[in-house]
């Protein structure tokens, strides 16, 4: 039996992807004024968010 409803899991993945997208857009607009370490940190955050979304989707794939 599923612990988390399908809709909730999909919404979680979508939120993670939307947050990663927002960070990338912010970096694109401010990159000229950012320190390289800050850009690297932002990319790491995006990577983490995308990986979380991938994990949720992989779990869903295994349950379907």
């Amino acid at each position: 039996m599923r612990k988390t409803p399908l809709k909730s899991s999909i919404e979680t993945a979508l939120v993670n992807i939307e947050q990663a997208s927002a960070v990338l857009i912010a970096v694109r607009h401010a990159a000229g004024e950012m320190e390289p370490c800050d850009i690297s940190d932002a990319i790491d955050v995006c990577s983490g968010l995308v990986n979380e979304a991938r994990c949720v989707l992989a779990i869903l794939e295994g349950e379907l």
Side-chain angles (χ1 to χ4, degrees):
M1 179 175 271
R2 290 187 51 75
K3 293 180 182 176
T4 307
L6 178 64
K7 185 176 179 181
S8 176
S9 296
I10 292 171
E11 287 173 355
T12 298
L14 287 173
V15 166
N16 286 336
I17 292 168
E18 288 170 1
Q19 289 174 342
S21 176
V23 171
L24 289 173
I25 290 169
V27 168
R28 184 183 73 182
H29 290 294
E33 300 167 12
M34 293 175 71
E35 295 293 325
C37 63
D38 294 333
I39 294 171
S40 178
D41 289 346
I43 291 170
D44 289 344
V45 168
C46 289
S47 178
L49 289 165
V50 171
N51 284 333
E52 286 180 34
R54 288 178 64 222
C55 288
V56 169
L57 295 174
I59 291 168
L60 288 175
E61 182 180 36
E63 293 180 355
L64 296 179

